[in-house]
Amino acid sequence: MSSEWQKRDEESASQIVNVLIIGFWGGILWSFIGIVACFFNFMKFSPKFILTSWSGAHWIEGWLGTVITLLIFSILSMAAALLYYALLKKFQNMMAGIIYGAVLWILLFFIIKPVFSGLPSMEQLKGNTGITSFCIFILYGVFIGSSISYEYQEKQKKNVPDIKTT
């Protein structure tokens, strides 16, 4: 009996590690896409707002600022991935990820906005900037949601005993 509980604990810990890895890479990938979108003027703000909100240091605009921004967003993304896992892992369709991404965008621009002075207000989010940032969040939500739900469903399939008919 003890070994069965130990096996379940190990599988659960393994699944949490997978969620953290998905969150880490999701944060790096989609914040990098945000930086590229800013570079090509699809957005008027960069994900570097997370640093520029508290410091005007010159190094933030260079490669070091980009690396630190990516790392900060990857850590925040791991927390977002854990939240998705806790609340929405059982949903198998993309709609859960789309809604999750939209909710994260709304949280950032309506609730958490006062914390980040480098983030534009809703009045400044016109045209390409608003649409691009919203779409990046939607795609981030789909990435996190699809990856986590897929991993969860695969784990469930492995735990279901095979029914053999004779």
Side-chain angles (χ1 to χ4, degrees):
M1 186 75 162
S2 173
S3 65
E4 185 177 317
W5 285 104
Q6 184 178 5
K7 183 179 176 186
R8 285 184 186 173
D9 288 345
E10 288 173 2
E11 289 174 355
S12 178
S14 170
Q15 205 159 7
I16 297 296
V17 168
N18 285 342
V19 168
L20 291 173
I21 291 169
I22 290 166
F24 178 82
W25 288 109
I28 287 182
L29 173 67
W30 293 104
S31 60
F32 179 75
I33 288 174
I35 289 170
V36 170
C38 180
F39 178 80
F40 286 112
N41 294 318
F42 287 108
M43 294 192 315
K44 293 185 179 176
F45 71 95
S46 167
K48 292 180 183 181
F49 74 85
I50 204 154
L51 296 174
T52 58
S53 293
W54 293 300
S55 173
H58 182 66
W59 62 268
I60 293 173
E61 295 305 319
W63 68 269
L64 183 59
T66 301
V67 170
I68 291 175
T69 298
L70 295 175
L71 289 174
I72 290 171
F73 273 103
S74 66
I75 291 168
L76 292 173
S77 179
M78 289 190 302
L82 285 172
L83 182 63
Y84 187 94
Y85 179 77
L87 300 176
L88 303 169
K89 67 183 172 220
K90 294 181 181 180
F91 289 94
Q92 293 181 341
N93 58 17
M94 283 194 320
M95 199 52 145
I98 290 169
I99 292 170
Y100 189 67
V103 166
L104 290 177
W105 186 84
I106 290 167
L107 280 172
L108 180 64
F109 284 97
F110 289 101
I111 308 295
I112 306 173
K113 162 59 180 113
V115 176
F116 301 109
S117 62
L119 194 61
S121 66
M122 285 311 294
E123 295 82 35
Q124 296 168 326
L125 275 183
K126 295 180 183 174
N128 286 349
T129 299
I131 292 168
T132 303
S133 64
F134 187 72
C135 288
I136 288 172
F137 271 83
I138 295 293
L139 291 170
Y140 168 78
V142 170
F143 175 84
I144 292 293
S146 297
S147 301
I148 290 173
S149 294
Y150 177 79
E151 286 287 327
Y152 178 76
Q153 297 304 323
E154 288 297 308
K155 167 86 170 67
Q156 295 305 307
K157 287 179 187 176
K158 289 179 182 176
N159 286 342
V160 175
D162 292 330
I163 300 172
K164 297 185 180 184
T165 56
T166 52

